[in-house]
Structures are given as structure tokens and as C-alpha cells.
Amino acid sequence: MHNSTPDAGVRGTLTPGAVVLVVGVLCVQLGFLLSYIGAFHHPDPQRIPVAVVAPEQAADKLDALPGRPIETTVVKNEKAARDRIMERDAEGAYLMDPRGKQDTVLVASGGGGSQADAVRKTGEKAAAQEGRQAKVEDIASSGDEDFNSLTAFYLIVGWLVGGYLMASLLGITDGTRPSRPGHAVLRLAGVAVYSVLSGLGGAIIVDPALHALPGHFAALWWLGALLVFGTAAFTMALQAFFGVVGIGLAVVVFVVLGNPSAGGAFQRYMIPPFWRAIGDWIPTGAGTTAVRNIVYFSGNALATPLVVLAAWAVAGVVLLLLGSIRRREPGLALPI
């Protein structure tokens, strides 16, 4: 008769591999909390770039405001100020009227509601300190169905989730590492088809279905396809080198680090320096910026975010192919 004890069952469950995975999950969870709370617990404007049409001394006073909320660039006229905003070289503008007491503050809420609100408040405060009035004009406002320009961020997050979930599913059902380069190519081809369909679905939802980001259907479709493909390819590459742990690493990159730094609820000049420094170089932030620039800024300043997204896709493809030919080493898999 076979005898078993509770202790034996516990020992069978608590293998070294299981303990490592539990500790890893705990670290990811705490990292998630640290990253989100660290980025968002005290949003504060920090040197938001603002174009100024005013005498040099007036710009110096704006630069010297307590806490340095804005950083000014003096331009020659209102047209130059508007151009800087639309070309994404500035987030707002302060136009001083030399013949009167009413100045104008230009904002662009399409680039993010919290940043635009900070520019507005700073401009109004600066005008009041000089005994002047300020009227506010939103020259690139977020749409009626896009509150605070948040749709871009949620669209990107949805696409990203689809990308790394698709890659994770392939890894779980078909092995985390392709057995040969041809196998890797087949996976990439399947992911490419999925990415095109995912990009199409997202574009349908935000344009004809909900009218949240209308009028840019084709551009959003192919941007989404590139984003999903790059996310999936890079996640598959991580799995090829690190096994199931690669899924966790993808979550760290795209979610734990990517979401707080992407400029969703609080844009880059409202969050601490660490998140501001990494945001533009992670697909979450690059994608969010690209969507906003397509929809609200006439497609200006798209080169950098598109190059970033393409670089992640190329890196994912190359690393996955390298992972498929890498010699298997004993002990790489976690015993669970």
C-alpha cells in the first residue's frame, strides 16, 4: 500500500523553480506599484517648453517662476509660436500684447490634457502677477469624444496587450523557443497577419465605431500593425532566450516601465526625470506620441516615434532568429 504524507506534497510543490517564479512575480508586482506611484503620486510641471512673443526680460521672468514650471524660447511673432506648437517643438505659447493689458496663452490639449492645463495655469498666474489678463486659446484641442487626449494611450495599451499576449500564447502552446529558424519565420508570419488584423480592429473602434479619433483610419491601422508586430516579436525573442520568464520581462518593459512613462494621464513634463527619460524610447510612449501627432498635429514629428517602433520590431525579429539557432544549454529551463 502506497503511503503519502502532507509534507511530501508540499515538498513536491515547492520546487526551486516554483520558488524562483513566485519571487519573480512578487518583484514584478512591487515594481509595478513603485513605477506607477512613483510616476504619478505628485505630478508637477517641470520646464514645459513654451514659445514666447514678448521682450527678453518678460521671458526671463517666466523662466524664473517658482519651481521652473516652464522653459521659454523667444520667437518673433504669433505665427512662429503657433508653428512651434504644431511642429511639437513647444507645448504652448505666451503672447504679450505690447499695446494693451490682455495677453494670450496658446495651449494644445491634443498633446495631453494635464500638460495643457499646466501651461494655462502658469500663463494666467504670470499675467496676474504683472497686473495683466490672459485669454486662453486651444489651437490643437482634443476631440469631443476624446477626453484629455487619453484615447491615444488606451489604444496603444490595447494593441500592446494583444501583441505580448499573442506571443505568450504561442510560447505556451508551441514552446518558448522555436526549434529552428524556419519555425521562427513561420511564427513571425503568423504574428504579422495577427498584427494587421489587430491594427485594423483598433482603427475601426476609434474611428467609425466610437468616433474617438476620426479621420485618420489608414494611418492608425498601419501604426497599430507595426506596434503589435514589434511587441509580439520582441516578446517572442525574450521567450527564446529566457523561457517563460521572458513573458514577465515583457510585462516589465511594456507595462511596468512603459505605461507610467507613456504620457497617458500625465505627459512627459509632468512626471519625474527617470520616467521622462525613458518614455520616448519604449513602444508605449512612442506609440502614444505617434497617435497624437497623427490626429492633432497634422502628422508632424513622426520620425522619431516611428523609428523607435521599427527598431523594436527589427530587434525582436533578429533576436528571435538568433534564439532559434542558439545551442541549447542544460539547466536553462526552470524546474517547476
Side-chain angles (χ1 to χ4, degrees), residues 132-325:
R132 305 173 68 85
Q133 295 179 330
K135 66 175 183 178
V136 180
E137 182 182 349
D138 194 343
I139 67 170
S141 61
S142 57
D144 293 338
E145 302 296 324
D146 180 19
F147 177 74
N148 272 356
S149 193
L150 286 171
T151 301
F153 172 69
Y154 291 122
L155 175 63
I156 292 302
V157 168
W159 274 329
L160 277 166
V161 168
Y164 67 71
L165 283 182
M166 177 63 178
S168 301
L169 179 64
L170 287 174
I172 291 170
T173 59
D174 196 33
T176 56
R177 180 179 157 197
S179 58
R180 60 189 185 280
H183 190 193
V185 171
L186 285 176
R187 285 194 185 184
L188 289 169
V191 164
V193 173
Y194 174 85
S195 300
V196 171
L197 295 175
S198 179
L200 174 61
I204 290 173
I205 289 170
V206 297
D207 191 349
L210 299 180
H211 306 290
L213 300 174
H216 304 275
F217 183 86
L220 294 179
W221 176 2
W222 293 108
L223 175 70
L226 173 61
L227 180 81
V228 174
F229 180 81
T231 304
F234 198 81
T235 302
M236 289 192 296
L238 290 175
Q239 291 179 96
F241 281 89
F242 301 104
V244 70
V245 174
I247 299 173
L249 294 176
V251 171
V252 170
V253 173
F254 299 130
V255 179
V256 174
L257 296 177
N259 283 8
S261 62
F266 298 102
Q267 290 72 59
R268 62 176 301 183
Y269 296 103
M270 301 293 294
I271 57 179
F274 171 76
W275 289 270
R276 185 164 65 248
I278 66 174
D280 289 341
W281 310 109
I282 297 177
T284 329
T288 300
T289 297
V291 171
R292 286 173 173 159
N293 289 356
I294 288 169
V295 175
Y296 296 118
F297 299 98
S298 303
N300 290 321
L302 278 178
T304 297
L306 289 181
V307 167
V308 169
L309 295 177
W312 281 85
V314 171
V317 170
V318 171
L319 290 174
L320 179 62
L321 292 174
L322 289 176
S324 69
I325 62 176

Side-chain angles (χ1 to χ4, degrees), residues 73-90:
T73 299
V74 177
V75 296
K76 60 183 180 180
N77 54 36
E78 180 178 343
K79 181 182 183 304
R82 288 175 177 268
D83 287 345
R84 284 187 68 84
I85 295 172
M86 294 303 297
E87 292 167 5
R88 309 313 294 131
D89 294 320

